[in-house]
Amino acid sequence: MSILIALAGKPNCGKSTFFKAATLADVEIANYPFTTIKPNLGVSYVRAKCPCKELHLACKKCVNGERFIAVELLDVAGLVPEAHKGKGLGNAFLDDMRQAQAIIHVIDASGGTDIEGNVVPIGSHAPLDDIKFLENEITMWMYGILNKNWIKLSRKASASGEKVEDVIAEQLAGLGVDAVMAKQALLETGLADRHISSWTEAEMIELSDYLRRISKPLVIAANKADIAPPENLEKLKGLEKEGYRVIPCSAGIELALRNAASHGYIDYLPGDEGFTIKNPEKLTPQQKAALDKMAAFLKRNGGTGIQKCINEVVFGLLNYIVVYPVEDEGKFTDKSGNVLPDAFLVKKGSTARDLAYKVHTQIGESFLFGVNARTKMRLGEKHELQNNDIVKIASTR
Ligand SMILES: Nc1nc2c(ncn2[C@@H]2O[C@H](COP(=O)(O)OP(=O)(O)OP(=O)(O)O)[C@@H](O)[C@H]2O)c(=O)[nH]1
Ligand SMILES: [Mg+2]
């Protein structure tokens, strides 16, 4: 199963621009609310250092030593306050986010759109106001699902002796909530040792809020940073003290650079901190001025921020690492001689056997041992993999 990340936020904040920049899919972008109605699903990539450079190998799978590993990205319709009650486009697109493992909350850091996405003068809407409302909508949507038939379910559970965390996990299974998360939420909210019949509505909302935070963790993409008043960005950065991860970005610039790169005007890889113009003499003064402005933004921010958001979700929030399975541990290749043919994203804590299963169920079942291709050390089935490991799996198959 690949990783699914949802782009969420109020209308007109730049979700589709982010999506288009990150996937190069052709989607509609416009400066008014509710441009997107049906969700767009596309492939994007995390960026990681490929081990080929360090090992002096000629690898065909990376670009200049940078490996791009696929994840799925989902662009949904804008959310407005009270969406969980059907306002705006209502609940449907909250439902579209069910399977997402994490959320990139795109906000308009320029303050140039109001809470419903209508265009207003830049700086006139406080972007901080957009953060809590979205979280509340997702929480209330989860609460709605949890609360459905809750009395009947909880009675049945009490009668059969089924654990409360299992009832919750069953109820929210479609949202990616499992019993471990449910148990954690029960403990953290102090509901673990209280009988279900005594829970108040407020307590169930608090529980839903906790479940949201662990099952749909988020980063904040402070978008339109290219036109945002500096004080807006400072205030948003200030949220990091509250535990938020805030990444200033410009989906608009990323999209322009990717288009320029795909047309051969510039050399630029997603996540680069700068770019080079291929034939500067061919540019019009306007094009040159636009590129200079973009270059200055990249310099100030260490890139456009788009790749940072995706990497932060996968490596920071979701704790994935990259491992490279090979068949020939001496040459770091597969059977046909391809160097480092695959890069797998696995959860931190995954073992050599988990990787074997990921390569193929049969390989997992007939696992004998792993070999760390760098050190040639044998790895037992329970050996915990580290980021960047290159591993041969020996099996009876
Ligand atoms: N300056 C600037 N404008 C941007 C940026 N990202 C998006 N925009 C503009 O913001 C407007 C809305 O962009 P969309 O990508 O359609 O926004 P959305 O969030 O998908 O909107 P809905 O689908 O209506 O919810 C468009 O005019 C974009 O060109 C950015 O990084 N900088
Ligand atoms: Mg859109």
Side-chain angles (χ1 to χ4, degrees):
M1 196 186 72
S2 88
I3 301 168
L4 176 65
I5 306 166
L7 294 165
K10 73 179 184 185
N12 219 357
C13 60
K15 298 177 296 300
S16 295
T17 307
F18 189 122
F19 178 83
K20 188 168 182 171
T23 64
L24 287 185
D26 194 15
V27 294
E28 203 178 338
I29 295 170
N31 195 12
Y32 47 78
F34 298 123
T35 304
T36 308
I37 298 176
K38 288 215 176 100
N40 301 304
L41 181 65
V43 177
S44 188
Y45 301 88
V46 290
R47 174 174 170 158
K49 280 257 165 294
C50 181
C52 67
K53 275 225 164 134
E54 147 219 339
L55 296 167
H56 307 290
L57 298 167
C59 160
K60 292 201 182 106
K61 292 281 181 153
C62 69
V63 194
N64 305 338
E66 300 295 329
R67 192 85 167 206
F68 290 89
I69 309 159
V71 296
E72 283 185 303
L73 204 59
L74 185 72
D75 169 35
V76 296
L79 274 169
V80 293
E82 309 278 86
H84 72 277
K85 293 183 184 159
K87 194 149 179 249
L89 291 178
N91 251 330
F93 46 90
L94 276 166
D95 286 341
D96 292 332
M97 294 197 311
R98 275 187 315 257
Q99 289 301 328
Q101 279 163 266
I103 294 172
I104 295 176
H105 182 184
V106 182
I107 60 168
D108 177 352
S110 78
T113 45
D114 69 14
I115 192 87
E116 296 188 334
N118 303 301
V119 176
V120 293
I122 285 180
S124 64
H125 177 80
L128 284 180
D129 293 350
D130 297 349
I131 296 196
K132 291 279 188 264
F133 105 83
L134 183 107
E135 295 175 0
N136 185 49
E137 286 308 316
I138 301 172
T139 295
M140 293 308 290
W141 163 66
M142 279 196 167
Y143 167 67
I145 297 168
L146 181 65
N147 200 29
K148 224 184 220 164
N149 307 320
W150 180 250
I151 294 174
K152 205 168 101 198
L153 276 173
S154 55
R155 275 203 197 117
K156 206 175 93 201
S158 309
S160 68
E162 195 183 350
K163 288 193 187 126
V164 183
E165 59 264 31
D166 290 333
V167 182
I168 294 173
E170 239 169 79
Q171 191 83 335
L172 297 178
L175 302 180
V177 172
D178 59 26
V180 177
M181 292 176 186
K183 177 89 201 182
Q184 189 189 338
L186 287 167
L187 289 170
E188 290 291 331
T189 51
L191 291 172
D193 41 40
R194 295 247 321 274
H195 193 266
I196 308 182
S197 58
S198 73
W199 296 1
T200 64
E201 184 182 23
E203 283 168 337
M204 277 187 72
I205 293 173
E206 197 193 327
L207 179 71
S208 306
D209 194 52
Y210 199 85
L211 286 166
R212 170 189 63 76
R213 273 183 276 151
I214 51 180
S215 67
K216 304 264 180 270
L218 59 82
V219 299
I220 292 176
N223 192 37
K224 307 194 190 180
D226 52 312
I227 52 167
E231 61 271 23
N232 277 13
L233 294 171
E234 265 160 46
K235 279 186 198 149
L236 286 163
K237 266 287 173 201
L239 288 171
E240 294 200 321
K241 285 201 286 295
E242 293 175 33
Y244 281 98
R245 300 172 194 229
V246 182
I247 301 167
C249 60
S250 173
I253 293 182
E254 177 74 14
L255 182 57
L257 293 179
R258 290 240 198 155
N259 282 334
S262 66
H263 285 102
Y265 299 137
I266 60 170
D267 276 323
Y268 171 73
L269 284 180
D272 279 354
E273 295 181 6
F275 56 87
T276 47
I277 300 171
K278 281 186 172 168
N279 295 304
E281 69 284 356
K282 286 193 185 154
L283 294 178
T284 64
Q286 288 88 340
Q287 285 171 323
K288 172 91 177 50
L291 285 169
D292 283 349
K293 229 171 139 188
M294 292 191 238
F297 180 87
L298 264 63
K299 203 164 171 205
R300 266 200 317 278
N301 293 281
T304 66
I306 300 305
Q307 188 66 60
K308 267 191 204 156
C309 288
I310 296 172
N311 273 40
E312 179 60 26
V313 165
V314 173
F315 300 124
L317 284 183
L318 297 174
N319 278 316
Y320 279 86
I321 57 171
V322 188
V323 291
Y324 298 83
V326 291
E327 284 173 81
D328 182 332
E329 74 274 30
K331 295 195 180 115
F332 305 98
T333 62
D334 64 9
K335 275 203 200 87
S336 333
N338 299 307
V339 171
L340 301 169
D342 298 303
F344 282 13
L345 291 166
V346 298
K347 281 266 185 191
K348 204 171 183 167
S350 292
T351 62
R353 190 168 202 142
D354 294 332
L355 175 64
Y357 268 105
K358 215 169 150 121
V359 172
H360 199 288
T361 315
Q362 288 179 350
I363 309 267
E365 280 163 358
S366 59
F367 177 92
L368 291 173
F369 56 86
V371 179
N372 178 325
R374 281 194 185 81
T375 60
K376 311 294 184 258
M377 293 259 286
R378 268 200 185 203
L379 312 172
E381 61 172 342
K382 295 211 173 87
H383 177 86
E384 191 181 313
L385 300 171
Q386 303 299 315
N387 188 38
N388 246 348
D389 274 353
I390 305 168
V391 181
K392 180 207 161 66
I393 306 285
S395 70
T396 56
R397 285 267 176 178

